[in-house]
Every structure is written in structure tokens, then in C-alpha cells.
Amino acid sequence: MTKGLNYDQFDPELDQRRAYVRKKLMHVNQLADKESINKALSKLFADAGKNLFIETGIEFDYGFNIHIGDYFYANYHLTLLDTCPITIGNHCYFGPDVGLYTPVHPLDPEKRKADVELGKPITIGNNVWMGGHVTILPGVTLGDNVVVGAGSVVTKSFGDNVVLVGSPARVIKTVK
């Protein structure tokens, strides 16, 4: 699964991990103080740097595919569907209702009916800012110093120093 190969989403081991994470997130999303939230989430993620802070409402599948650098902030209702690795660099800030989705569902209806799933990793560089309601789709890599405007849907990868907006997102400005 984490390598992007076909997998069974109803595998008992995966079901067990998702249930464990849901239970933990019910507790985490009720916490009020930053230190308690950071400590609890850091135990669920593969790794998280210093000064992690995520407002209430975070949701993810497994946690073991989430890698977050130093100085990360996410506003309310962050969703990280981590079938494959999600890697977020240092000094990244996400607005409310941001979603990073690694699962890929087959276009072929017969494969969908057979519950065939796979995924593609998402990589976010350093010093990336995302406005509210941004969606990042499977396989996207964003470089350093990228700004993604509110409501954008990022369907492909972009390099460093750009401002992206729209659905699908496109470059509207290069920044130094």
C-alpha cells in the first residue's frame, strides 16, 4: 500500500489501525492545550518536528505515513488521507479545511467493485502556505516557497517559488 501498489482496503490489519487511530483522534480533537495536542499527535505520526500545532478536527487514516517537519501549523479540520506517505517540510502553514489525499480509485468500474485501491505519495516542500479549503490530489509534489490560494485544487506538481490558484490550480505569479 505505502509503495503505491494495489491493496485491499478491508485488510484486517488496516481496519484495526484505522479503528485505533479513530479512537485516538476522538481524544486528541477534544484537547484544548497545544502541548497535549502536539504530544498525542507526535505519537501517531511517523515523525513530526518541533513546534507542531494542529487545531481541532484533524482526521487521518493511519498516521504511520505522515512525516511533518519543524514549525508546522494547520487551522481547523485538516484531513490527511495517508494511504501512501505524506511528507510536509519545515515552516508550513495550512488554512482551515485543507485536505491532502493519497488514495487513488480505479477508473475501471469492475476494479472499483472489486475494492482495488492504490495510492500515490504527496510531498510538500519548505515554507509552503495554503489557504482555506485547499485540496492536494494524489502524486502531487510542491516545491519550496509555494503559496496555494484558498479553494484551489492542486492536480499536478509544481516547483519552487510560485503562487497557485484555481481548480485545477495554475501558476499566477512567480515569487523570489
Side-chain angles (χ1 to χ4, degrees):
M1 175 183 82
T2 61
K3 292 179 181 179
L5 302 175
N6 290 349
Y7 71 97
D8 176 4
Q9 66 178 320
F10 300 112
D11 176 86
E13 185 179 343
L14 296 177
D15 276 343
Q16 184 179 27
R17 177 64 184 191
R18 286 191 303 268
Y20 170 79
V21 166
R22 277 193 302 274
K23 182 178 177 183
K24 293 293 184 181
L25 288 177
M26 286 173 51
H27 171 72
V28 168
N29 284 321
Q30 299 302 311
L31 296 173
D33 70 285
K34 179 179 175 180
E35 296 307 314
S36 296
I37 293 168
N38 291 346
K39 186 176 178 181
L41 287 174
S42 292
K43 290 178 183 177
L44 294 171
F45 292 156
D47 52 88
K50 62 184 175 183
N51 292 324
L52 168 77
F53 186 59
I54 299 172
E55 298 286 359
T56 58
I58 183 170
E59 300 292 336
F60 53 89
D61 292 318
Y62 306 105
F64 55 67
N65 278 327
I66 299 172
H67 310 270
I68 299 178
D70 296 335
Y71 302 101
F72 177 76
Y73 173 80
N75 211 310
Y76 299 100
H77 309 122
L78 175 66
T79 301
L80 304 170
L81 298 186
D82 63 320
T83 294
C84 281
I86 294 175
T87 304
I88 300 170
N90 299 320
H91 295 278
C92 291
Y93 304 93
F94 292 4
D97 299 304
V98 167
L100 281 65
Y101 310 136
T102 66
V104 176
H105 301 282
L107 295 177
D108 180 322
E110 294 306 313
K111 288 183 180 178
R112 279 197 310 273
K113 286 193 306 190
D115 292 320
V116 172
E117 290 208 8
L118 60 142
K120 294 181 182 177
I122 293 173
T123 303
I124 307 297
N126 297 310
N127 196 33
V128 173
W129 288 44
M130 294 186 194
H133 299 275
V134 166
T135 300
I136 307 293
L137 295 184
V140 166
T141 295
L142 295 180
D144 296 338
N145 307 312
V146 172
V147 175
V148 184
S152 296
V153 178
V154 183
T155 62
K156 65 180 185 176
S157 297
F158 292 91
D160 299 341
N161 305 310
V162 294
V163 177
L164 308 173
V165 298
S167 178
R170 67 190 189 316
V171 176
I172 62 161
K173 183 176 183 176
T174 301
V175 293
K176 205 167 194 185

